[in-house]
């Protein structure tokens, strides 16, 4: 029935209804915790959107989420469910750090920053290559292999950081701090109203990535082959698409995008590699791809939404002691539930309403 719905209904109305459902369930939980849902929502919105510094943090988180959302989305276009963006971003951070540690003392900033981005994209792509190759050549399901590679990445990073990257005499499980030339310019340098926030030029890089993704998927012959592979591999094969090559290429691009998510987190904020710097951004990318319907505008709006939840959730848990910080995870989970598993919950009723108005 969902195929009979107009695009505006599936692309706008259904996601909004699903989001509203998730928020209503969240409001019920907040009420059961003994807090006022309306007041709590006002605190969250003021902290994440109205306050300039809060908005800067929202866009900072959204910059990372755009890349992980794109990583999952481009794989979905080919019918692949890449759950490994978390591990790919982790390895992207390692590639970026290796480039920084090797060249931050010798390269100028205008070469150093691109070198870090290339390292992040390269390592993220290589980490996604193995699951893509196993899917294309051996039939191993990419969902299973990418989940496994998330755990392998976490263990590998723990070993590498503890064994090789901790400076002598230091106790913190992190690499040394990069040279100042490796720091991405912050937007607060031009807009002081944003305060001392980590929002940086990665935000604009995310917008460029969204635009390139939109053009490549919707306006190029390669994008047509990509979407054809996702819709029907057999038909795409008879049309001349090399399915194995398309799967591997798609996973390489997906991994590179996930790896680039590390640029905002490391070069734009901490300026060193630490354990667990990803912080679940790879898994949030799954929700963003589902809620945004793999459309660049939808991905951006979903990324901003999840950035607002991340920022607003911090202040909400501080001002409302009965609401734990894990409430943000609950909201994210509910959005994934309604926008993923229950994506077309309201489709029959919406279809009936549309037909009733047309009659």
């Amino acid at each position: 029935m969902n195929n009979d719905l107009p695009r505006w209904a599936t692309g706008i109305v259904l996601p909004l209804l699903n989001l509203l459902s998730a928020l209503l369930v969240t409001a019920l939980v907040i009420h059961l915790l003994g807090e006022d849902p309306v007041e709590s929502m006002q605190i969250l919105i003021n902290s994440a959107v109205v306050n300039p510094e809060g908005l800067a943090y929202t866009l900072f988180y959204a910059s990372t989420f755009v890349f992980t959302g794109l990583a999952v989305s481009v794989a979905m276009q080919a019918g692949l469910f890449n759950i490994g963006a978390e591990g790919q971003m982790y390895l992207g951070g390692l590639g970026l750090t290796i480039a920084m540690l090797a060249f931050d003392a010798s390269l100028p900033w205008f070469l150093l920053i691109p070198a870090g981005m290339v390292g992040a994209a390269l390592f993220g792509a290589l980490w996604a290559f193995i699951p893509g190759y196993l899917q294309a050549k051996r039939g191993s399901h990419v969902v299973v292999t990418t989940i496994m590679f998330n755990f392998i990445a976490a263990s590998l990073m723990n070993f590498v950081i503890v064994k090789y990257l901790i400076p002598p005499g230091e106790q913190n499980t992190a690499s040394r701090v990069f040279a100042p030339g490796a720091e991405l310019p912050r937007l607060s340098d031009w807009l002081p109203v944003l305060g001392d926030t980590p929002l940086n030029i990665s935000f604009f890089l995310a917008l460029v990535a969204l635009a390139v993704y939109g053009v490549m998927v919707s306006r190029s012959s390669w994008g047509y082959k990509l979407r054809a592979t996702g819709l029907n591999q057999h038909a795409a094969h008879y049309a001349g698409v090399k399915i194995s090559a398309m799967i591997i290429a798609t996973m390489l691009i997906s991994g590179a995008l996930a790896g680039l998510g590390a640029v905002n987190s490391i070069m734009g904020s901490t300026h060193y590699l630490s354990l667990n710097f990803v912080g679940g951004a790879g898994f949030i990318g799954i929700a963003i791809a589902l809620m945004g319907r793999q459309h660049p505008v939808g991905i951006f709006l979903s990324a901003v939404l999840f950035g607002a939840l991340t920022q607003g959730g911090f202040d909400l848990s501080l001002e409302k002691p009965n609401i734990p910080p894990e409430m943000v995870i609950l909201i994210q989970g509910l959005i994934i539930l309604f926008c993923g598993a229950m994506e077309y919950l309201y489709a029959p009723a919406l279809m009936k309403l549309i037909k009733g108005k047309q009659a």
Side-chain angles (χ1 to χ4, degrees), residues 33 41 43 45 48 70 91 101 107 134 149 151 153 165 168 171 174 183 190 194 203 256 281 285 290 295 298 310 331:
L33 291 173
M41 186 60 64
I43 293 173
I45 293 174
L70 284 174
L91 265 293
L101 298 181
L107 291 181
L134 292 175
F149 269 62
F151 290 101
L165 297 184
Q171 299 297 320
E183 299 179 10
W190 302 295
L194 298 178
F203 176 70
L290 290 171
H295 189 280
T310 303
I331 300 174

Side-chain angles (χ1 to χ4, degrees), residues 63-74 82-94 96 117 119-125 127-128 150 209 250-266 277-278 281-283 285:
S63 300
T64 298
F65 297 157
V66 163
F67 282 105
T68 56
L70 284 174
V72 178
S73 295
V74 72
N82 177 18
I83 308 183
E86 187 88 356
Q88 292 148 19
M89 181 175 166
Y90 223 156
L91 265 293
L94 177 61
L96 184 157
M117 294 179 180
L122 180 61
F123 272 58
W127 199 246
N150 283 334
T250 302
M251 287 300 294
L252 284 171
I253 295 171
S254 179
L257 288 167
L260 285 171
V263 172
N264 180 54
S265 300
I266 297 178
F277 79 90
V278 181
F283 296 119

Side-chain angles (χ1 to χ4, degrees), residues 27-40:
L28 176 61
V29 173
I30 292 175
H31 176 72
L32 294 176
L33 291 173
E35 299 289 353
D36 184 357
V38 176
E39 183 182 357
S40 299

